[in-house]
Each structure stands twice: as structure tokens, then as C-alpha cells.
Amino acid sequence: MRRDQFLRLAAVVLAGALATSACGGAENTDSAKGDPSQPAKPQGAKIGLAYDIGGRGDQSFNDAAARGLDQAKTEFGATANELEASPGETEAQKEERLRLLATGGFNPVIAVGFAYSKPVAKVAQEFPNVKFALVDDEAAKGPNISNLLFAEHEGSFLVGAAAALKSKKNSIGFVGGVQVPLIAKFEAGFAAGAKHIKPDIKIQTKYLTQPPDFSGFNDPAKGKTAAEGMFDGGADVVYQAAGGSGGGVFTAAKAANAFAIGVDSDQALTADASVKDVIITSMLKKVDVAVYTFLKGFASNSVTAGSTIYDLKVGGVDYSVTGGKVDDIKAQLDELKQKIISGEIKVPDKTTG
Amino acid sequence: MISRFNVRSAALTLVAPVLAIVLAVGITTVVLLVSGDEPLETFGYMVDYGFQPRTMVLTLNLATTYYFSALAVAIGFRMNLFNIGVDGQYRLAALIAAAVGGAVTLPAPLHVTLTVLVAVLVGACWAGLAGLLKATRGVSEVISTIMLNVIATGLGAWLLHTDRLAVAVSGSNNIGTKPIGPSGQVPGLHLIAGTEVKVYGFVVVAALAGIGFHFMLNSTRFGFDLRATGRSESAAVASGVNVKKMIVGTMVLSGAVAGLVGMPQLLGASYSYSLDFPTGLGFTGIAIALLGRNNPLGIAFGALLWSFLTNSASILDVHQISKEIVIIMQGVIVLSVVVAYELVRRYRKSAEQRRVGQELAATAEPVKG
């Protein structure tokens, strides 16, 4: 009896250690264990979700998708199986992940991240009766593929304007996680927004890593160093589009007594309590809403194939007001927002040069 | 007497890897028990999944890639050169080869040959830099190849830009080199029945490379010099080997093989080098070279085992078993191989001493016979 207890304790301790070291890999045990081909619960859909590197627990992009999934799970009584990519894996492995979900009876299947583009295109063809959703990519087309896209540049334009309005030194910064076209969209919108307010504003830009090194999305120390450099160089507001590295940017802002702008989620709510007060606003990329809407559509049998663009107009991207730090400029920002929605302001989605 | 000894010696050679796998399975069982998963069930899933025809093809395909990487590392290891730079070498080689392959249209065999040749050349040059640095300035190849990896990453990121070698894929956040046309693609082979998926054509090249490696080591002057330098540099110098030339030559050869690492994926599957091209294969190669004891046949088994484990991670994930178990297994196997070989080596040594002792004792007392 005592030995049993000891074993159980040891198991719990070690499992805990494994879970933390494995980046939350052991967290997704809430769905049915065992053979995936046997329905665990009679009611509701069996949702398959394939994350990009980082998976649930990255406090950023993947977590946003997880929030949408969780909401749908409780609301529609669905079960889910969540799988996660390994760093540096091949396309064949991504393909196999989706195929295993589809053959395991999971429907719909959601793939998070543009790296799933070709795998989704291929596997969706093999399983015409399974509905697929693909976040951040519209190159994969098919009658059973829903592409969920975001106008990140539009949301970034607004926080760029906010940064310019809030900057006293006429100098701001942008920290990107990895130098990929997707993050360049954030940068382009941010710079355009800032220059719209103050054409002569100084903008420092820094990407933490370059592909194929994707650690820039998950390295707070690098984020901190980059932001420190910007604050030392005269900036007083820094926008980060760096996923898990963003926490370091906030820490640096706190130390420099400056401001920071969050990304993807409302980070004035989700960030560490000690740095929440430096976050004046966040560029919201509502992956959760997109995933939830897709699942809701699936539940009511009204999923549409093809691209859905989550832009400012439909509230797919936005800026947050938590903390009240942008209340004084809210009117100006909302005016810009209306101008973008009406098409009066065209926001570039590519950086020049 | 002699034949019996050979049988025992052969058996001993097999004991080490078997011992290593038994150890690895044992330790993994403990880890599984502790984390609350059923070990037998877990291994059952892995084996079940691993022997489906589809998975067998996937395993063979990934193993082909691993094989080149491990071979590249093994060439260096045989001369006591630690080429950690295979990773950077293959990435840069694949990127530039993909760009060249995508830019031209040639008759099929020429097109493939050109692409592969570019990859081999780029890999050889990049590794050759480390060789030159060591031969002329005495820079440790461990340091220089690690640094060259970082430079390769930077250079690759600079080149993979829409202003230079990359084109944007419409509607995608991905960018990649211009896709290589049909004439430059290497068709797959239907080797395994019961599945539509094809084995990379490059599996043949991998087998040839393995045979070539064996032949080079055992039947050429270069191979002899290489092994001699690896065993004892001073002895090699004394017998007239130009060690500096050997260092550069070995690094160049290692890099040339490293250039092939990305080819199965590039010419057999993706036809373009994009942001999601597989990374880290060079480091996997180091582990597999250790596992296969730098022997072409051993490396083949090592690559297959490693690839089987990597692929079976997917099925564990589906069954809600932490797929990190596979990484633990791979790590434990490498460690156990090192330990097992050392144990067997010691056993062999003492057995040899005993045998010699017995024989000496037997000759010392001829009267009794």
C-alpha cells in the first residue's frame, strides 16, 4: 500500500517534470484515451487538430487556436485529439499526421500554420468526406478545405498609429520573431500606421532569427536583448510579433520604463502580471474566433470551402483597449479603423526594400 | 579451434547492438511505467504501425536521407575529424541546387545530374573551408564547422528572399525556390506492395554510396591513408602520409556526401527549397554514425531504426502517449550502444588474454600431449 503511494507520487513528480520539459506535450490528455477509431462519446463531433511547432501552451498563435477549440468543445460537446509538429520535420510527417487523424475518424480536421499547406491539399483529396480547415494559407484549395486567413497588416496599422501617437521621443521599434513573409505583413502594417501619423518617425526593426531557425518565436531572452537595444537607441514604444519571445520584450520595456504593444492575444490580460502595465494595446489576431466559427459551421452543417478573410471589417483583427492606456487616442484610432474598412486607407501587406 | 573462435567473435559483434536495444527498451519501459502509460500497449502500437506497408515506405524514405547524413559524418569520424557542419552543408547545398535545378530545363538525366552535382560541389566547398582552416591555420574543425553552420543559416536566409533565389507561392505565407520541372525530378519506385506511396529513387544512390564508402576505405590508397591517419597521426606521417592533404580531402569528401542529404527530399518529394525544408538532419547523422559504428552496413541499420522510431512518434501522439518517448528512446539507444561496445571490447580483451595464456601454457607443457 505504502509502496503504491510512493510509486504514484514518483509517477506524478516525474510526469510533471516531463510535461514541463516537453513543452506541454502531456497536457492534452483531456480527450478519450485509447483507440481513436472507437468513438469516445456518442454525442458531438470528433475534432482533429494539428498544431505547428510549439503546440498548445505557446501563449500565442497555437494557444489562440486552442482557445477556439476549447470553446467549441464545451459548447457542442465535441471531443478532440490534438497533435503537434516536431521541429525540423518533413512534409511527409505533417501529411501522415493529418492522415492518421482522418483515418482515425476525426472530422473535421484543423491544421494550424502555413507549413501544412501542401499536406492539407494532398490529404484532403484522399478524404473527400472529411472537412479540413487551414489557418494562414490559401494556396491549398479544394471542395473540402476552408482557408482561414487574417489581415494582420490592417490590425498592425492601428497599433502602429497608436505607437506613433504615444511616442514622446518620436522613435519606435518593431521586434519580429522570425524573418518570414507572414511577420513582414505585421511589420509593413505597423510602419505604415506609424508613418501615417508622423511621416518622419524613426522606426527600428529587428528580427530575432532567420529561417530555418524558428527559435525566434520561442526565445524570450532574444526578445529582451533586441528590445533593450531599441530602448537604448531611443525608442519608447516597441511592438512585438514574436510569439513566445514577446515576454522578453515586455520585461525590457518594464526595465526601461517604456511601453510595449502585444500581439495575437490581448496580452494585457494574458502576459505575466509584473509586466502587464507596460502593454498599452495588443494587435488581436483572432485565430480563436476563426477556429470557433469554423467548428460552429461544422456543427450546423454550413461549412463553406475556400477562403474566409478575417480582417478589420469582420473583427478578425483589431486592437485591444484593456488597461485604458489608449483611451485618450481611441477616437483617432477608431477613425483610422473606419477609413481602412471603407477602403479610404490602403494598408500595404509587404515591406518595401 | 580457429573457426569456433570466429563464430564466437561474430556472435560478440552482434551482442553489442542487441544489448543496446534491450537496454533501451528496458529504460523506456521504466519511463513509460512512471509516466503512467502501458509499455506493452505502447510498443504494440509502434510495431503495428511500423509494419504497415505505408509506414514501411515512409521509414525507408526518411532512412535514405538519414543514411547520407550519417555517411558524411562517418567519413570524418574514420579520420578522427568531427564534422558537425553536415547540417549547414546540406542546407546550403540543397538551397543552391534547388535554385539551379528550378532555373533550367534540360533532358531528364542531365537535369538531375546537374542539380545533384551542384549540391555535391556546394557541400564539398563549404566543408572544404573547415578543412583548409584546419590544415593551414590549425583551427579545430569542431569550432569552425559549428560557426559555418551559423553562417550557412544566415546566408541561406539572405538567399531565400523574393529578391534573390525565392519566389512567393501565391496565397501562401511560404516562400521557396522555383519548383524543379518534371525533367529534374527523380521518380519513385514501387518497392513495397500494398501501398500507393513510392520509395524515393534515391534509395539506390544511397546503397551505391554505401558500397562506394566501403570500397574507398578498404581498397584504395586514400582509404588506407584515411584510416591510418585516424588511428595514429604520427605513425601516418612517419609512413609518408601527407596529413594536411588528407584533412582537406576528407572534409571535402564528407561535405560532398553531405550535399546529397537534401536530395531525396528535394528531387523526390518537395521539388523546391522552401521555408519548411527539413532541418537538423546533420545532427541526426552524428547519432546514427555513432549507432552504426561508422560502418556502412551498421549505419544502414541505424538509419532504418532511427527512421522507424521517428515515424512511430505520430501514432503515439494519436493515442495520447507523449511522443517525446521516442526521443528518449533514441537518446538511450545511442548511449547504450557506446556502453555496450565498451563492455564487449573489455570482454573480448580479457577473453583474448585468457586464450593466449592457455595456448602458452599448452606449449609450455608438451610432454603431456
Side-chain angles (χ1 to χ4, degrees), chain B residues 232-241 243:
Chain B
S232 162
E233 197 179 306
S234 48
V237 171
S239 59
V241 176
V243 173

Side-chain angles (χ1 to χ4, degrees), chain A residues 114-144:
Chain A
F114 68 82
Y116 280 103
S117 174
K118 277 192 210 163
V120 164
K122 215 161 165 188
V123 178
Q125 228 169 28
E126 286 171 37
F127 297 90
N129 296 323
V130 176
K131 300 277 187 215
F132 289 85
L134 177 57
V135 177
D136 267 359
D137 182 278
E138 62 172 345
K141 289 274 174 209
N144 54 339

Side-chain angles (χ1 to χ4, degrees), chain B residues 16-17 19-25 27-28 46 287-288 290-292 302 305-306 308-309 325-341:
Chain B
L19 194 67
I21 290 174
V22 170
L23 262 173
V25 169
I27 294 175
T28 316
M46 288 171 76
I288 295 173
L290 281 173
L291 199 58
L305 179 64
W306 204 273
F308 161 75
L309 289 172
I325 285 289
V326 164
I327 299 171
I328 296 177
M329 263 184 118
Q330 289 172 330
V332 170
I333 288 177
V334 171
L335 277 181
S336 339
V337 159
V338 175
V339 172
Y341 271 94

